[in-house]
Amino acid sequence: IHPVVGMWRTTVTNTGAPPSISLTTFHADGTYLEVVQDGGLVVTGLWQPAGERSATVTAYVFFAIDDRPVEGEVRLTVEVDETGNALTETGTVVGHYQDGSLALAIDSPATATRLHIQPVEPLGTPVVPGMAAAGTPAP
């Protein structure tokens, strides 16, 4: 199995925009799924191995700029480090309006950390937003 396969917490630093967090999944069948932090963007695509620890990605996303629909294409090169728990991405995002005119073209570097299965642990006293907390959950 290629070391990129799995789920990653990704920090994307698009040109001219504040960093955003996403959850990125590289599936063993070559499909790619990324959900951006606010849930407003879902990026889907394909990946293929480019080397022992590297891969290329082509993915697609729909969004709007000034209420105008945009179709974006993401092209990435990813590299997993020797530990298998860190990843770096370089690449671009190019978006076009429905009439074919260019909406944006940006560099899209990112870093990611592999997510792992965590043990189930008791919470202690639950904390629910909007309710007075009687205590704090156990770590």
Side-chain angles (χ1 to χ4, degrees), residues 8 15 20 24 30 34 48 50 58 63 68-69 73 88 93 112 120 125:
W8 302 83
T15 304
S20 63
T24 305
E34 182 176 359
Q48 66 183 16
T58 302
F63 56 97
R68 292 180 65 193
E73 183 176 280
T88 56
V93 179
V120 177
T125 304

Side-chain angles (χ1 to χ4, degrees), residues 109-125:
T111 57
T113 304
R114 183 181 298 280
L115 296 175
H116 297 277
I117 299 291
Q118 299 297 316
V120 177
E121 297 177 353
L123 279 179
T125 304

Side-chain angles (χ1 to χ4, degrees), residues 46-115:
L46 304 167
W47 73 272
Q48 66 183 16
E52 188 177 309
R53 293 190 331 265
S54 62
T56 56
V57 177
T58 302
Y60 303 91
V61 60
F62 295 108
F63 56 97
I65 297 176
D66 298 327
D67 295 326
R68 292 180 65 193
V70 175
E71 182 175 337
E73 183 176 280
V74 181
R75 295 182 185 187
L76 304 171
T77 300
V78 300
E79 181 81 24
V80 178
D81 78 351
E82 299 82 19
T83 70
N85 291 313
L87 177 145
T88 56
E89 296 179 359
T90 57
T92 59
V93 179
V94 175
H96 290 90
Y97 293 113
Q98 289 179 328
D99 65 7
S101 63
L102 185 64
L104 70 95
I106 58 174
D107 290 319
S108 186
T111 57
T113 304
R114 183 181 298 280
L115 296 175

